[in-house]
Amino acid sequence: MPTTRIFTAIPYGTGSRWALGSIILVHQSVYNEIGATTTLFAILIAALSATFSAICRSATNKTSNIGYLRANHKCDFLLLFLTLWMDILALLASCGALARTLSTCLDTMTGGMARMWILGRNSSPNEPWPDVIGVSVVFLVSGMFMLGLENTKIFSCLMISGVLGIIGQLGIVTWLQGDEIEWHKETWFPQGTSGIIIGAALCAFSFPAEMPTAARYNRLTGILIILVVTFTSVLTAACLSTLVHFKPETEFLAVPVFKILTYVNLTKVIPAMACLLVLTCSGALMELFPEMYALIVKLTTSEWKILAKQIGYESRDSGSPVLAIFTGGSLCAMLAFACPMENLIYILAGSHLMASIFRALYLLYTPYRPKCIQHQESSLAYTRLQSATAQTSQNIPTSASTSRRLWCFRRASSVAVNMAKSRLQKKPHDEELEREWLLLGEPPSPRCLEHPDRNDDAESSILSDDGDQAPASEDSTTDIDAIVDEYRQKIKVSMAGPLDKNQKTPSVTSWRVALIGILFIVCGIASVIFGVIYQDVISLSSGLIGTFFANIMLFCLPRHNLQQGQVSSLTATLSIILSCVLLTGTLSNSWAALLFWITAGFIFCIRCDSWCCLCLDRTTISAHSHIIPNVSAKLDNLRQKSVSGIHLPNRIPTHR
């Protein structure tokens, strides 16, 4: 495969994550947390977890029709939104960590006088508060992006050069002043299994977030990138193992490499190392910051409708989303101003792992859920919409308890009935209005959203939007005339069974069995976590065996066709297990921030426009009401009202 195709296939942000992990996360893990020897083995576990997480993210990125999920499948939409929400927090924490590193490096390049000039006093070089330089860096970067700055390949090349320069300097220092004391100790794991889990959790963000999709051999390219990141991280940890002698009670340092060079009597190398760190952190910030505010803009689109559209407004002059950049920059500046470096890296690790859990959980159960749950017949049936309306009205339950169910826990049958009822009551929409929405970048016609997966569904409907109902031609003999006849009379063609008799699609019974299997998987994961934390071999082995047999049961159940890049249930299960185990090592320092952020996201997702909890008493709203408004009703209301005239002064032409 040509080299150019490999570089174009690399997902955006992979280089910045690699740089952040090599120059910050690995150093923090070695010096402040668990030691070099433990970090070296923890990187291998982090690489395994990151591989499954990247595969799951590549499959989730191909999920389309978010507006359809938002209108009809609230639980799916909630999981996808929480995944995106936790990714935003991870990027915010990473940008804050880079800003704090830049602050310390800039202060070191001035000989420790920068903070004294700004604050008027000498502050601690380890964890400065308030970090005025870090806030200034964030505001400077935000202003540059507001004015139209774009990240180019030059910044990426400079960042890669800085990473290679830092690793090269560490190799030279190891050759001159290194020793092997750490490798001759009685144990390589001073903190035991918990230390390996903490190190793997901290280093998980440094690996690619997703697998490449543009190359021909995308999976091979992704594995090659993961191997390169693993090799550089292991090399960095191996070099630091000869320079750092781990002590559990060592004071936490924001940039420990300066202290390490002081220990080995190489203070003259510190300015050069600070320059390389500034170069690398600046390049990484130029990649991660646009990725962060791009996710904020994504939440303002018509598919998600979480944030106001005004936040995603793009300036005419620069073409940049000014309000989104300002919002992301403000949150990042708050973290860089007051949040210590130790809490930042733990929040970064915890939010990244939480996003992986939500993503894998979504991919675990969606292939086994039927697209449309309804009574299926064994033959081809032709029914008019009027008779279907009467039939569905009889099947709709009259009790008010079904309409008052929680929006994300309603039965699938009630959702299907409500969707059928909304389709039958559809009114003709304005074609000109639809064209205007398409020109403004809005989603396509709602007719495309009614059946997002025509290849998987067993039902296909032919509906008409024009009001003419011409009588059927009884003398039509060809297939084309029959199709036109059905189209004009609004005949619904439904076939109960799948088109291919050899291929089985999920049913209500198989979906319930799949839910039982997923419940066993969740119990097995809980048993695995308990066994890892308390080092109980029985709980660990029983949990792994239970999840394995549950996956075998899911493999035997009918499911929808796996699209290209979609993961299996075993891959999603392994991703959940590894992410949950690693998450336990970060909760002690990040649980409060994660709980606050998830609660805020949940409130954003379920908030109501007029009254609190009013949406719980409403029926399912069809996709049409979210996309194409009912213009005819508004026009009728305007005609009934009295029209007030506005008198304008007449322009009297001047005569020469």
Side-chain angles (χ1 to χ4, degrees):
M1 184 169 52
T3 307
T4 56
R5 293 190 62 184
I6 294 178
F7 285 107
T8 55
I10 297 176
Y12 187 79
T14 300
S16 57
R17 285 173 168 81
W18 169 57
L20 177 64
S22 300
I23 66 175
I24 294 180
L25 299 179
V26 174
H27 290 215
Q28 297 289 344
S29 178
V30 168
Y31 188 86
N32 295 317
E33 298 297 336
I34 59 175
T37 54
T38 309
T39 303
L40 196 146
F41 291 95
I43 290 172
L44 303 178
I45 300 177
L48 182 63
S49 175
T51 303
F52 290 111
S53 178
I55 295 173
C56 292
R57 180 163 183 172
S58 299
T60 311
N61 289 339
K62 296 182 180 180
T63 302
S64 59
N65 294 330
I66 300 297
Y68 176 80
L69 295 178
R70 176 176 51 82
N72 303 288
H73 301 291
K74 298 294 186 179
C75 186
D76 295 3
F77 180 75
L78 179 62
L79 283 178
L80 291 176
F81 166 70
L82 289 179
T83 300
L84 190 63
W85 190 247
M86 299 309 295
D87 285 335
I88 293 175
L89 179 59
L91 292 172
L92 284 172
S94 63
C95 292
L98 289 172
R100 274 195 166 266
T101 305
L102 282 171
S103 172
T104 306
C105 293
L106 293 174
D107 184 62
T108 303
M109 293 172 65
T110 59
M113 299 298 295
R115 292 196 184 95
M116 186 178 295
W117 292 338
I118 295 175
L119 299 176
R121 56 181 175 82
N122 190 11
S123 62
S124 175
N126 300 329
E127 284 294 331
W129 194 92
D131 194 353
V132 182
I133 301 179
V135 175
S136 303
V137 168
V138 174
F139 283 149
L140 177 62
V141 173
S142 302
M144 292 171 65
F145 278 109
M146 286 181 183
L147 295 176
L149 177 66
E150 293 182 359
N151 188 27
T152 60
K153 294 182 179 180
I154 298 177
F155 295 108
S156 301
C157 293
L158 292 176
M159 178 185 63
I160 294 174
S161 302
V163 173
L164 296 178
I166 293 172
I167 296 176
Q169 280 195 5
L170 286 177
I172 295 173
V173 174
T174 301
W175 179 264
L176 296 176
Q177 301 290 338
D179 53 43
E180 299 179 357
I181 297 177
E182 288 292 317
W183 296 98
H184 293 292
K185 290 184 177 180
E186 297 180 357
T187 176
W188 290 348
F189 311 112
Q191 295 184 0
T193 308
S194 61
I196 299 177
I197 295 175
I198 293 173
L202 295 180
C203 298
F205 185 78
S206 58
F207 292 89
E210 58 182 303
M211 286 293 181
T213 56
R216 182 178 180 184
Y217 305 99
N218 49 5
R219 192 63 56 85
L220 182 61
T221 306
I223 294 176
L224 181 62
I225 296 172
I226 291 176
L227 290 177
V228 171
V229 176
T230 305
F231 174 75
T232 54
S233 301
V234 168
L235 182 61
T236 303
C239 293
L240 293 176
S241 66
T242 62
L243 302 174
V244 179
H245 305 299
F246 178 72
K247 296 179 181 179
E249 298 180 357
T250 304
E251 184 181 6
F252 194 93
L253 298 179
V255 185
V257 68
F258 298 150
K259 196 72 173 180
I260 295 171
L261 294 176
T262 305
Y263 285 158
V264 296
N265 298 322
L266 292 175
T267 55
K268 295 182 179 180
V269 187
I270 293 179
M273 183 67 73
C275 293
L276 289 176
L277 283 172
V278 169
L279 185 66
T280 307
C281 291
S282 301
L285 191 60
M286 296 293 290
E287 283 192 9
L288 291 176
F289 197 84
E291 186 179 356
M292 178 264 299
Y293 71 73
L295 294 181
I296 296 178
V297 173
K298 191 175 182 179
L299 293 178
T300 64
T301 57
S302 56
E303 292 183 346
W304 292 89
K305 288 187 178 180
I306 299 296
L307 302 178
K309 275 189 175 182
Q310 290 78 7
I311 298 179
Y313 168 75
E314 294 182 356
S315 175
R316 281 184 189 173
D317 300 329
S318 61
S320 302
V322 179
L323 292 177
I325 296 174
F326 178 77
T327 304
S330 301
L331 295 175
C332 183
M334 292 177 187
L335 291 177
F337 180 78
C339 190
M341 189 71 172
E342 182 179 7
N343 294 337
L344 277 177
I345 60 175
Y346 274 97
I347 293 173
L348 169 63
S351 56
H352 176 69
L353 294 172
M354 286 291 291
S356 301
I357 293 172
F358 289 142
R359 189 179 295 112
L361 185 61
Y362 168 77
L363 294 174
L364 181 61
Y365 73 89
T366 48
Y368 303 96
R369 186 187 58 196
K371 298 294 183 181
C372 185
I373 303 177
Q374 61 181 1
H375 179 68
Q376 298 183 354
E377 299 177 359
S378 59
S379 61
L380 186 64
Y382 296 86
T383 57
R384 293 183 180 273
L385 293 180
Q386 295 179 357
S387 60
T389 307
Q391 184 177 359
T392 53
S393 62
Q394 295 176 1
N395 295 331
I396 296 177
T398 57
S399 61
S401 61
T402 57
S403 62
R404 296 178 180 270
R405 291 182 182 272
L406 193 59
W407 55 272
C408 58
F409 295 101
R410 278 188 290 183
R411 294 179 179 176
S413 58
S414 62
V415 173
V417 169
N418 290 328
M419 280 300 300
K421 183 179 179 181
S422 63
R423 291 174 186 172
L424 298 178
Q425 296 177 354
K426 185 181 69 172
K427 297 181 179 180
H429 59 273
D430 193 1
E431 293 291 338
E432 295 182 359
L433 179 64
E434 184 178 358
R435 293 193 191 98
E436 291 179 2
W437 279 62
L438 291 175
L439 290 175
L440 293 174
E442 298 297 332
S445 173
R447 288 174 290 182
C448 301
L449 297 178
E450 290 183 0
H451 305 282
D453 297 323
R454 290 183 180 269
N455 295 330
D456 297 336
D457 292 343
E459 176 185 287
S460 63
S461 61
I462 303 175
L463 300 176
S464 172
D465 289 334
D466 49 351
D468 300 332
Q469 297 183 2
S473 177
E474 298 177 356
D475 298 333
S476 59
T477 56
T478 61
D479 295 336
I480 298 177
D481 294 333
I483 293 175
V484 173
D485 187 18
E486 294 169 358
Y487 180 81
R488 289 183 176 180
Q489 293 187 10
K490 296 184 179 181
I491 294 178
K492 182 179 179 182
V493 183
S494 62
M495 185 171 60
L499 297 178
D500 187 4
K501 296 182 179 180
N502 297 326
Q503 180 184 355
K504 296 182 179 180
T505 56
S507 61
V508 179
T509 305
S510 64
W511 168 237
R512 292 172 180 173
V513 177
L515 288 179
I516 296 175
I518 293 173
L519 180 61
F520 277 111
I521 289 176
V522 173
C523 296
I525 292 173
S527 179
V528 170
I529 295 173
F530 181 83
V532 171
I533 294 177
Y534 294 99
Q535 298 182 1
D536 189 359
V537 181
I538 299 177
S539 299
L540 179 62
S541 58
S542 61
L544 291 176
I545 293 173
T547 53
F548 177 74
F549 282 107
N551 275 278
I552 293 177
M553 182 181 67
L554 291 178
F555 183 77
C556 298
L557 294 176
R559 55 181 176 177
H560 296 288
N561 292 331
L562 293 178
Q563 301 175 357
Q564 185 179 2
Q566 191 171 353
V567 300
S568 61
S569 60
L570 183 60
T571 304
T573 302
L574 291 176
S575 179
I576 296 175
I577 291 175
L578 292 173
S579 299
C580 289
V581 170
L582 298 185
L583 182 64
T584 57
T586 64
L587 289 178
S588 59
N589 293 327
S590 63
W591 67 269
L594 296 179
L595 181 61
F596 172 78
W597 190 256
I598 292 176
T599 305
F602 191 76
I603 293 174
F604 267 121
C605 189
I606 67 171
R607 74 188 190 281
C608 301
D609 295 330
S610 55
W611 298 98
C612 181
C613 299
L614 185 61
C615 57
L616 302 181
D617 296 331
R618 294 178 180 175
T619 57
T620 303
I621 302 176
S622 64
H624 305 283
S625 60
H626 286 271
I627 298 174
I628 303 297
N630 191 359
V631 185
S632 59
K634 295 181 180 180
L635 292 176
D636 294 339
N637 295 332
L638 290 176
R639 290 172 182 174
Q640 294 176 1
K641 295 180 180 179
S642 60
V643 181
S644 59
I646 300 176
H647 299 281
L648 298 176
N650 296 326
R651 295 183 179 180
I652 304 174
T654 58
H655 299 281
R656 294 182 180 179

